[in-house]
């Protein structure tokens, strides 16, 4: 099947729980053309009634029109709207043991029935609690996600990552963020992806520095 250009809202039942999500189809999408898909995972709170704030702030639907990709933006559960990212992050989804990885996996499969998606180009980004879930999906299902770009979210240390392909990771952190030093997550991905210790400064613009490990298994790259 197919969907017309624009943003579509749906409900999807997983584990007996009704979940809300949106799909944004760019104007240049053509039926039967394999198109990349971006999972956009909201931070704690910005789902449910505040879903539209995250849509507007993250601007991925705008970028999708320029770059020609589909955006899948689901909602977490509870109040505040949350994802189970592991490592006590975040309630109520985490304390209730919600299978958000299974939900996202089922939702992507369901969306593939509606739209022509390039299965090799399914990406995930997310902020804060959404970043935790992006890390967790890549850790537990490395063969299903092309790359992740978490923003101030961590890879939970309690998780045991599956032995799969190397996953490219772009970790975005604020150097002045005392709550959230993300170097540990970068180090963990360097370990999971079997990267060498060698780093390259790949970009330096103003106060923003990109430090890259590019000698990793399967050609994966880890950048902080």
């Amino acid at each position: 099947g197919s969907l017309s250009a624009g943003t579509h809202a749906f409900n999807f039942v997983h584990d007996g729980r009704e979940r809300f999500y949106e799909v944004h189809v760019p104007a240049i999408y053509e039926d039967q053309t394999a198109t990349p898909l971006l999972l956009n995972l909201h931070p704690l709170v910005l789902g449910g009634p505040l879903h539209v704030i995250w849509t507007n702030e993250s601007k991925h639907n705008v970028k999708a029109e320029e770059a020609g990709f589909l955006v899948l933006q689901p909602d977490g559960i509870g109040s505040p709207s949350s994802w189970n990212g592991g490592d006590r992050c975040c309630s109520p989804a985490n304390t209730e043991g919600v299978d958000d990885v299974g939900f996202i996996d089922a939702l992507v499969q369901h969306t593939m029935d509606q739209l022509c998606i390039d299965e090799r180009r399914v990406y995930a980004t997310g902020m804060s609690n959404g970043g935790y879930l992006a890390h967790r999906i890549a850790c537990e299902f490395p063969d299903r996600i092309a790359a992740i770009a978490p923003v101030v979210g961590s890879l939970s240390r309690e998780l045991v990552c599956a032995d799969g392909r190397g996953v490219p990771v772009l970790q975005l952190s604020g150097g002045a963020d005392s709550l959230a030093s993300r170097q540990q997550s970068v180090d963990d991905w360097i370990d999971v992806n079997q990267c060498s210790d060698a780093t390259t400064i790949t970009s330096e613009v103003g106060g923003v520095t990109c430090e890259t490990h590019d000698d990793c298994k399967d050609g994966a790259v880890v950048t902080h």
Side-chain angles (χ1 to χ4, degrees):
S2 190
L3 297 171
S4 57
T7 305
H8 306 268
F10 297 105
N11 287 322
F12 181 74
V13 177
H14 180 259
D15 270 359
R17 197 189 288 266
E18 191 169 54
R19 307 289 296 258
F20 173 83
Y21 71 100
E22 283 182 351
V23 179
H24 182 78
V25 181
I28 59 172
Y29 171 80
E30 290 175 29
D31 194 18
Q32 303 313 312
T33 302
T35 305
L37 176 74
L38 176 69
L39 277 160
N40 183 25
L41 304 169
H42 67 74
L44 186 68
V45 180
L46 293 186
L50 302 180
H51 183 103
V52 67
I53 296 174
W54 178 238
T55 306
N56 294 339
E57 288 293 317
S58 62
K59 298 184 173 63
H60 289 307
N61 290 1
V62 176
K63 186 65 183 175
E65 293 297 333
E66 291 172 27
F69 57 85
L70 299 154
V71 181
L72 185 58
Q73 187 172 304
D75 267 5
I77 68 108
S79 182
S81 190
S82 58
W83 303 108
N84 183 1
D87 219 8
R88 301 184 301 284
C89 179
C90 289
S91 294
N94 179 256
T95 41
E96 289 184 27
V98 174
D99 179 16
D100 275 322
V101 173
F103 162 58
I104 296 295
D105 193 40
L107 184 58
V108 170
Q109 294 300 321
H110 174 71
T111 308
M112 283 177 177
D113 295 338
Q114 295 176 295
L115 291 158
C116 190
I117 294 168
D118 185 343
E119 293 187 34
R120 294 162 306 170
R121 290 191 293 167
V122 176
Y123 303 90
T125 187
M127 184 172 180
S128 196
N129 188 193
Y132 269 84
L133 185 59
H135 276 294
R136 182 170 193 170
I137 292 166
C139 166
E140 296 185 352
F141 289 103
D143 298 315
R144 297 195 203 172
I145 211 93
I148 58 168
V151 183
V152 296
S154 298
L155 174 63
S156 294
R157 310 243 37 222
E158 69 187 45
L159 300 177
V160 178
C161 293
D163 184 19
R165 60 175 275 276
V167 182
V169 175
L170 172 61
Q171 172 71 46
L172 299 156
S173 311
D177 185 353
S178 60
L179 187 70
S181 166
R182 308 298 173 186
Q183 187 59 47
Q184 182 66 62
S185 296
V186 174
D187 292 345
D188 288 342
W189 276 114
I190 288 164
D191 191 37
V192 170
N193 283 330
Q194 298 167 12
C195 308
S196 73
D197 289 337
T199 59
T200 314
I201 301 296
T202 44
S203 172
E204 233 170 337
V205 182
V208 181
T209 302
C210 291
E211 190 174 68
T212 298
H213 292 252
D214 56 11
D215 184 13
C216 313
K217 73 174 177 180
D218 303 322
V221 172
V222 176
T223 295
H224 191 199

